[in-house]
C-alpha cells in the first residue's frame, strides 16, 4: 500500500508542472514593470523618444532578469529530467526555489528603480544567490536519497554540481578551474 508522503514519480510530475507555471508568471511579471509613457505627457516625437530613452534601466534589468530566469529554468528542467521521483521534502525544497523565482520580479523592479544604490544591487544578487543555494540543495537531497534516475552516472552528477556552483559564482575569477562547464 502506498503511503501519502512516500516518494513517487507522480510527485515529481506535480513539481515539474508547478515549476513551469511559476516561471511563466515570473517571466510575465518582469515585463509589466516597463510602463508605456503617459499619453498626456507626450506632445512630440522628441518627448516620446526621451521618455523611451528614460526607460533604458528598466529594459536593461528586464533583459538581465529574463536571461537569468531562462538560465535557471533550463537548469531546473535539466534536473527534473534526471530526477525520477520526489517526496514531500524535495517538493518543499523545490517550492523554496520557486519562492525565490517569484521574488525575482520584485528584486528586478527594485534594481531598476534604484540602480545607483548598492542596496538594490545587493537585494538582487542575494535573490540570485538563494536561487543557486536552493537549486543546489534540491539536487543534493535528490542524490543523497536515491531519487535520481537509474541511468544517471557519476560524470552527470558532477556536471550538474559544477553548473550550479559556476552559475552562482559566474563573474568571479576562478584561476585554477579547468572545468568545461559553461556559466
Amino acid at each position: 500500500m502506498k503511503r501519502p508522503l512516500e516518494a513517487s514519480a507522480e510527485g515529481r510530475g506535480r513539481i515539474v508542472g508547478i515549476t513551469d507555471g511559476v516561471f511563466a508568471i515570473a517571466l510575465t511579471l518582469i515585463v509589466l514593470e516597463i510602463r508605456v509613457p503617459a499619453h498626456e505627457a507626450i506632445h512630440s516625437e522628441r518627448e516620446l523618444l526621451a521618455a523611451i530613452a528614460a526607460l533604458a534601466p528598466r529594459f536593461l534589468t528586464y533583459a538581465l532578469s529574463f536571461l537569468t530566469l531562462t538560465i535557471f529554468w533550463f537548469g531546473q528542467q535539466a534536473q527534473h529530467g534526471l530526477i525520477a521521483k520526489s517526496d514531500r521534502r524535495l517538493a518543499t525544497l523545490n517550492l523554496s526555489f520557486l519562492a525565490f523565482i517569484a521574488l525575482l520580479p520584485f528584486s528586478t523592479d527594485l534594481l531598476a528603480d534604484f540602480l545607483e544604490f548598492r542596496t538594490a544591487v545587493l537585494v538582487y544578487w542575494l535573490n540570485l544567490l538563494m536561487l543557486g543555494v536552493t537549486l543546489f540543495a534540491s539536487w543534493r537531497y535528490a542524490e543523497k536519497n536515491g531519487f535520481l534516475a537509474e541511468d544517471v552516472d557519476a560524470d552527470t552528477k558532477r556536471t550538474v554540481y559544477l553548473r550550479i556552483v559556476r552559475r552562482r559564482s559566474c563573474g568571479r575569477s576562478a584561476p585554477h578551474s579547468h572545468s568545461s562547464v559553461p556559466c
Side-chain angles (χ1 to χ4, degrees):
M1 183 166 133
K2 187 172 179 163
R3 294 188 176 114
L5 301 180
E6 189 174 304
S8 69
E10 295 84 20
R12 182 201 152 290
R14 293 182 61 113
I15 289 173
V16 171
I18 195 169
T19 297
D20 287 346
V22 170
F23 270 95
I25 291 167
L27 287 164
T28 302
L29 289 177
I30 60 173
V31 76
L32 294 178
E33 293 306 322
I34 303 174
R35 305 252 196 282
V36 173
H39 192 271
E40 309 79 46
I42 307 298
H43 304 290
S44 68
E45 291 289 332
R46 173 177 268 155
E47 288 176 348
L48 180 58
L49 287 172
I52 292 170
L55 292 172
R58 292 231 172 252
F59 282 108
L60 177 65
T61 56
Y62 165 76
L64 177 68
S65 292
F66 193 92
L67 178 63
T68 300
L69 283 168
T70 57
I71 289 168
F72 276 103
W73 183 80
F74 283 129
Q76 186 73 337
Q77 293 306 303
Q79 276 191 19
H80 287 314
L82 300 172
I83 295 173
K85 56 188 174 180
S86 177
D87 68 357
R88 181 176 235 157
R89 286 187 178 103
L90 184 57
T92 300
L93 287 168
N94 189 73
L95 288 170
S96 297
F97 172 78
L98 294 176
F100 290 109
I101 289 296
L103 189 60
L104 198 60
F106 165 77
S107 64
T108 298
D109 193 30
L110 184 70
L111 183 64
D113 281 348
F114 301 100
L115 195 54
E116 67 277 11
F117 294 107
R118 283 185 243 166
T119 300
V121 174
L122 178 65
V123 167
Y124 184 80
W125 287 110
L126 281 173
N127 193 172
L128 296 181
L129 174 67
M130 292 311 298
L131 285 168
V133 166
T134 54
L135 192 64
F136 182 84
S138 65
W139 176 254
R140 185 164 175 81
Y141 180 82
E143 181 187 11
K144 295 294 180 193
N145 288 282
F147 294 164
L148 301 185
E150 291 179 15
D151 60 345
V152 177
D153 61 17
D155 284 341
T156 302
K157 292 175 190 177
R158 182 178 173 278
T159 299
V160 170
Y161 277 118
L162 288 173
R163 284 187 177 163
I164 294 169
V165 171
R166 293 219 21 180
R167 186 177 299 132
R168 284 185 19 214
S169 64
C170 284
R172 287 188 270 167
S173 62
H176 301 296
S177 175
H178 300 291
S179 171
S180 61
V181 180
C183 289

